């Protein structure tokens, strides 16, 4: 629930997580009014968590002030509804991330935070990265902290399980990792640490991630939630045939996405086609599909029975 | 069995596969006399297949003539024993690979071949790579052909499932992929093709690979065979808890290996410690662990109860 | 001069350019009071231009508000002194860069701006990147605009000469490129465009850059200005022997820097040792050399006769 | 001259070096009969050195036996003509390279050898690489040895100047580096060693390389020899304007090459168009330009006044 924070120590994410788009107006301004509609859609899909302003949420294209407004808008929209908000506060640099963490601490309804490291000046060792996130986490002492590892976007190539082991020792609020890097060996090593929740950020690997001990996935589009749920249920019952079939179904959707260029713009178009909500176009330099590509997408979604 | 070739069309690898070391003498020459002892050890571990002269087998450090001798030595050593030989014929270039394929065709006891693409001049498209392997496969018309994808060694970054789809159309003997690249999405896509057997070449991902439809792993050291078997059996029974525990056990072994530098030299030292066979040192530039590292390895293997 | 802006069309950087450090206090806050002292030092070294808040200036570690304050502090410190300020406004995203460009336009004393592209979401084509910088440049219509290409920091791998050719057509204030990427072929191609000033951002390649038609270098530390001047003068006189000797002297300094870990922290320590100004330590995650490393640096600077 | 070997200690390459194509027949076999014609063309262009069977020579696509035949054919064709042969003996592995070096030692007319490191198993340290090439060099004790550094083909990323410093101490025949990697800083450092001749393998950087102390370039096509000579002469006279103009002219040729896909196939087509010799097509997987691309090339060569 949004108004009642779990204690930091006991905090655990339960259930699917959506990484929601940030809605934009025609002129590129943030469109806060779409967010309540998105909350309704998310709940309709029975998704109990949102990871706000990460890579799918395009937090990196927003000013710090806009990020605060968007985070608050999510908290207002959720109100008492059963949706846990994890706010991504990783940003261009330490000072801005600390500012965002400090802000998140004050927003009733935010139940956890997450952050990447510094992208322009990359950390060279796990120690430095832990020092960096420690300062962010300290600004939100009542909020569980998750390290956001996504090497193919940040260019940060660290040993995440070593980092997590260090972090558990020196960051009181450290609770886990959003593991979006693709390495299976790293996932296994992270899961073996104990006391660290590892969240699957690469849903094209969800079933594989389950075998590594990661329970819940971060989804880019709501329509994948029922599929992720089927994968999880089948996996829990040891019905690997069904689990695999559903993962293949997901893969067909991603293949379709990639066939028209991939990226967040395509994901926005998919949700518009399936669920009828227009989140606007991403900010430059994230491209939006052409009308031809949207037509291809539409036919592909029909073929895959999403439409 | 080694003397009776399955028909190409029906060929399917069944069971664990070992990628055996090539034994070297003190002076660096190939030591063919160790091979029969290795066959006995492999059979003792109930491993029914060997993938000869690939990355663990260090085929790339051998002359063409040495490769032929080693392949023949394996065939002689196997004789009528229940060990299927897949010979890697990928090499420096097309002509040498064609020569090796043509030779493999003549060696009684070789039941399939595999090949990487060209490493120095890399293929830029899937079409070119299929054209390349087609010419290799044509030299061994009675042997099933597997494409060997291992991007982190070759630097070849192609869409392997697209390649396999093309290959099935134009290469009569094309039977599958040894998928050592790490991408889970690629594994899922390859497995979805149908009629293409996908072999797991990255055993640190074996359980994840099973969920992608890959049945059998290629192992670098015999002592992992019982663990791989437990993973497979647990997986087949839907006992994911056991499967995951065994994969974590494997991961601990790889973590130990990497803690002393990793690489084939460390694997050679592991087998020497566990099974008592000395395969000699790899050729330059593949390093061998120092005595200090070997001591660390030994204690680690005791801790993990391999010793 | 700082108070009299050249017209955009005629703007051309003349002379060496320093990329000054941003001074920090013990607590990590920006220390604006050091800036006037730095201006005096820069003028003592006869350096006529500063490129403020780029990679050496660590602009990416500052909040937007801090960047505005630092830019203003430079303008105040320069006052009527003969120092041209080029303000780097590239940042985490388009909105913040537009904000910084709009601010720069209002700061009397800023004579040009520069910007990198977006680092987290990377542009995939030259068109998209030109669209991106066009919107930044439009916020400062009276200031000449330079594209800042530095692929090893941003991860943006575009054809810079193609980009510049596009930019000259659609961005009225586009004047040039700060070319910090290392490719000589790209430098030659950029210089061949005509009407585009190409600034050498990789001073370890200064002499090579001169042969590509790039006239002026961006220096990380003031003590290299006399050397750069000697290189330029020798080059202009066709005295390639002297030019080469001086470039080798520079290289010895960089080798020394790299021998203790490299990076901005080492550059800060070098200037402190040579010129006695303490700019404080960089913000996390940029490391500062240990005392041992500083001792090594000191001896090395003595050996190279900088001390 | 070909028949009279200089002493190893005094050996120095003087003048432009051509990296000649290996001619192929329609069926892909090596066509030794074209080589004498190529020698005549090379001499017509006043090129005094050939670097045989390197990257442009596509040695990596030949069997060891073919490489020996080609090397011998060059020696026969050169006979007493003023053309120095440097034979590339770097290959798939140490044993084959040692074999090739040993063979080169016996071929009257070969005056030096060169070798890359191992491509499939890459050396991790400079020490290991020196150990590797030491064993190759030892097979040809009367021939000067050059290390062939070309990181974008081999994937070997070592500090070449450190390697060369080590090599001068332990390899009696070590004479220099063919520096085809692009790093200017590395070139400067290599040239500063003293007693090590550094050859410019990336002719799109020839003028820049001259400023680093590298005297002679390796050319992929004979028609660039007069341009390289003009660059060198202008450079030696301190006429940097002319030197730069000629380098830009070279760059325009490379831009043309790259506009139709680049690679050795395009270079073969260029020489066929300009000099009328057909060297056949490269072996798979090196592509050859389409007829459309050849038409584009032809028009481009006319525009650049090569035709």
């Amino acid at each position: 629930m949004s108004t009642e924070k779990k204690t930091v120590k006991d905090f655990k994410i339960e259930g699917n997580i959506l990484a929601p788009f940030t809605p934009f107006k025609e002129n590129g301004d943030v469109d806060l009014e779409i967010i309540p509609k998105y909350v309704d859609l998310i709940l309709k899909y029975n998704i109990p968590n949102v990871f706000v302003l990460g890579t799918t949420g395009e937090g990196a294209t927003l000013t710090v002030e806009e990020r605060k407004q968007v985070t608050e808008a999510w908290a207002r929209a959720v109100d008492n509804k059963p949706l846990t908000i994890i706010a991504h506060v990783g940003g261009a640099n330490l000072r801005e991330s600390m500012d965002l963490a400090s802000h998140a601490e004050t927003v009733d309804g935010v139940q956890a935070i997450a952050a990447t490291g510094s992208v322009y000046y990359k950390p060279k060792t796990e120690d430095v990265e832990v020092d960096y996130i420690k300062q962010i986490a300290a600004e939100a002492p009542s909020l569980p902290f998750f390290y956001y590892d996504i090497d193919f976007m940040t260019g940060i190539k660290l040993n995440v399980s070593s980092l997590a082991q260090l972090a558990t020792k020196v960051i009181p609020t450290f609770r886990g990792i959003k593991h979006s890097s693709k390495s299976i060996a790293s996932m296994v090593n992270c899961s073996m640490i104990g006391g660290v929740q590892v969240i699957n950020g690469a849903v094209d690997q969800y079933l594989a991630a389950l075998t590594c001990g990661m329970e819940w996935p971060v989804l880019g589009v709501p329509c994948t939630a029922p599929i992720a749920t089927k994968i999880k249920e089948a996996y829990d019952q040891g019905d690997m045939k069904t689990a695999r079939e559903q993962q293949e179904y997901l893969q067909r959707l991603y293949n379709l996405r990639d066939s028209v260029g991939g990226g967040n713009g395509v994901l926005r178009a998919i949700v518009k086609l399936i669920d009828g909500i227009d989140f606007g176009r991403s900010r430059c330099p994230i491209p939006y599909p052409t009308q031809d590509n949207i037509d291809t997408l539409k036919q592909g979604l029909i073929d895959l029975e999403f439409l």
Side-chain angles (χ1 to χ4, degrees), chain A:
Chain A
M1 304 307 127
S2 61
T3 49
E4 187 189 350
K5 283 175 188 167
K6 299 172 194 169
T7 69
V8 171
K9 205 183 142 187
D10 300 333
F11 185 84
K12 205 155 174 266
I13 295 168
E14 298 287 346
N16 289 325
I17 303 138
L18 185 78
F21 305 124
T22 296
F24 293 114
K25 298 178 187 170
E26 280 272 334
N27 68 358
D29 286 351
V30 167
D31 189 351
L32 301 179
E33 291 180 22
I34 307 286
I35 293 175
K37 294 181 202 164
Y38 206 2
V39 167
D40 290 345
L41 183 73
I42 292 163
L43 292 173
K44 202 189 81 181
Y45 274 103
N46 293 314
I47 301 171
N49 305 285
V50 282
F51 184 87
V52 171
L53 292 170
T55 303
T56 308
E58 297 170 16
T61 71
L62 270 59
T63 66
V64 170
E65 192 50 44
E66 287 175 327
R67 288 178 70 155
K68 291 179 181 174
Q69 289 168 11
V70 169
T71 302
E72 290 170 17
W74 277 96
R76 275 197 309 275
V78 165
D79 195 19
N80 278 316
K81 290 168 192 141
L83 194 56
T84 296
I85 297 174
I86 304 123
H88 180 236
V89 302
N93 56 58
L94 182 55
R95 290 278 165 134
E96 290 184 355
S97 290
M98 288 168 68
D99 183 9
L100 288 167
S102 171
H103 171 262
E105 174 83 7
T106 69
V107 179
D108 199 32
V110 171
Q111 303 206 348
I113 59 171
T116 59
S118 157
V119 174
Y120 196 81
Y121 301 100
K122 296 188 206 318
K124 292 184 181 170
T125 63
E126 288 76 20
D127 289 72
V128 168
E129 190 73 331
V130 169
D131 185 29
Y132 187 93
I133 59 174
K134 183 184 173 182
Q135 296 179 63
I136 299 171
E139 295 293 319
S142 82
L143 294 176
F145 181 90
F146 287 74
Y147 179 64
Y148 183 10
D149 174 51
I150 182 163
D151 57 5
F152 56 90
M153 291 301 290
T154 61
I156 300 172
K157 311 265 183 194
L158 296 174
N159 183 320
V160 191
S161 59
S162 299
L163 181 153
Q165 279 174 303
L166 287 169
T168 52
K169 288 178 195 152
V170 298
I171 303 175
T173 55
F174 186 78
R175 281 278 75 74
I177 299 155
K178 178 176 184 292
H179 201 302
S180 298
S181 300
K182 307 274 189 177
S183 165
I184 293 292
S186 172
M187 292 179 190
V188 170
N189 275 319
C190 287
S191 292
M192 282 199 290
I193 295 172
V196 171
Q197 187 176 23
V198 192
I199 298 297
N200 170 232
V203 75
D204 58 342
Q205 304 194 158
Y206 181 37
L207 179 53
L210 284 169
T211 72
C212 304
M214 297 159 82
E215 285 176 293
W216 306 111
V218 180
L219 311 169
V221 286
C223 65
T224 55
I227 310 169
T229 299
K230 282 182 197 164
I231 292 171
K232 177 75 163 74
E233 286 173 0
Y235 178 85
D236 286 345
Q237 291 159 19
D239 175 4
M240 299 309 293
K241 185 170 171 294
T242 300
R244 186 182 150 203
E245 284 166 2
Q246 292 296 316
Q247 185 68 47
E248 291 183 352
Y249 185 41
L250 266 186
Q251 187 60 46
R252 286 194 179 91
L253 180 63
Y254 300 132
N255 290 347
L256 175 62
R257 175 197 64 187
D258 294 343
S259 73
V260 293
N264 285 345
V266 177
L267 293 182
R268 286 171 179 257
I270 287 173
V271 178
K272 187 175 173 190
L273 285 165
I274 293 179
D275 298 304
I277 300 183
D278 187 346
F279 296 93
R281 293 170 176 236
S282 306
R283 287 178 175 173
C284 188
I286 305 173
Y288 197 78
T290 61
Q291 188 56 49
D292 271 4
N293 283 339
I294 291 171
D295 293 344
T296 303
L297 264 185
K298 190 172 178 180
Q299 187 56 51
L301 292 171
I302 290 169
D303 295 346
L304 291 173
E305 300 183 0
F306 282 95
L307 286 180

